[in-house]
Amino acid sequence: MAITAKKRVGNLGESIAEKYLLRKGFKILARNYRKPWGEIDIIAEKGSVIRFIEVKTVSRETLPGVTRENSGPEYRAEELVHEQKLRKLARTAEIYMHDHRLDADYQIDAVAVYLSTRERKARCFLYEQIL
């Protein structure tokens, strides 16, 4: 099965987000934690808090001239985390905590990645406690 361009951009965005989080002092615990009802892109820890992180990537090749600052909400990566996705993230996070017998504080965060593969540049923004 061939990988789609959207999936390729998503995978690249997740790798960039992981490096970004490591530079910000996060410890990566897992990537792409899947359950039948949902997936968590990155599970990390900072301090004593477990972070369940949804990564949303927007490629500038598909939207030339659009930046985070001049675009409407439909083009902002962080706006792509909708209510249904948040419910799935919360449920999957609870299962992860239970399955790993963790008794720690946790939260759901998002990383927005704005990607220009042609220029080989990316900008990341961390949004904490989005739920």
Side-chain angles (χ1 to χ4, degrees):
M1 182 180 201
I3 187 168
T4 65
K6 182 178 178 180
K7 186 68 174 166
R8 194 173 11 260
V9 167
N11 289 342
L12 181 57
E14 287 178 17
S15 294
I16 291 167
E18 180 178 8
K19 291 174 186 162
Y20 169 77
L21 293 167
L22 287 168
R23 284 193 310 270
K24 292 185 84 48
F26 286 75
K27 176 184 176 189
I28 306 301
L29 303 177
R31 274 196 54 190
N32 304 115
Y33 177 77
R34 288 183 177 90
K35 288 294 179 188
W37 53 83
E39 175 187 357
I40 297 174
D41 296 325
I42 298 174
I43 302 171
E45 184 176 25
K46 187 166 185 185
S48 60
V49 179
I50 306 295
R51 310 287 191 99
F52 297 94
I53 303 164
E54 176 68 10
V55 179
K56 289 297 184 184
T57 306
V58 174
S59 169
R60 292 298 165 225
E61 278 68 36
T62 58
L63 301 168
V66 176
T67 67
R68 182 180 180 279
E69 291 75 22
N70 76 2
S71 66
E74 67 276 13
Y75 297 116
R76 292 190 197 124
E78 64 273 16
E79 298 289 339
L80 300 175
V81 184
H82 48 78
E83 186 178 336
Q84 182 181 358
K85 180 65 174 179
L86 288 172
R87 280 196 303 269
K88 288 180 178 181
L89 285 168
R91 182 176 179 197
T92 308
E94 288 172 13
I95 296 299
Y96 179 90
M97 295 297 288
H98 179 267
D99 285 353
H100 290 81
R101 293 179 172 81
L102 297 172
D103 184 27
D105 290 333
Y106 68 93
Q107 65 189 53
I108 297 175
D109 299 342
V111 172
V113 179
Y114 292 88
L115 181 64
S116 174
T117 52
R118 251 184 262 132
E119 296 176 13
R120 298 186 51 83
K121 290 183 181 178
R123 291 182 65 197
C124 297
F125 299 89
L126 173 63
Y127 298 92
E128 298 180 277
Q129 296 186 353
I130 62 172
L131 181 64

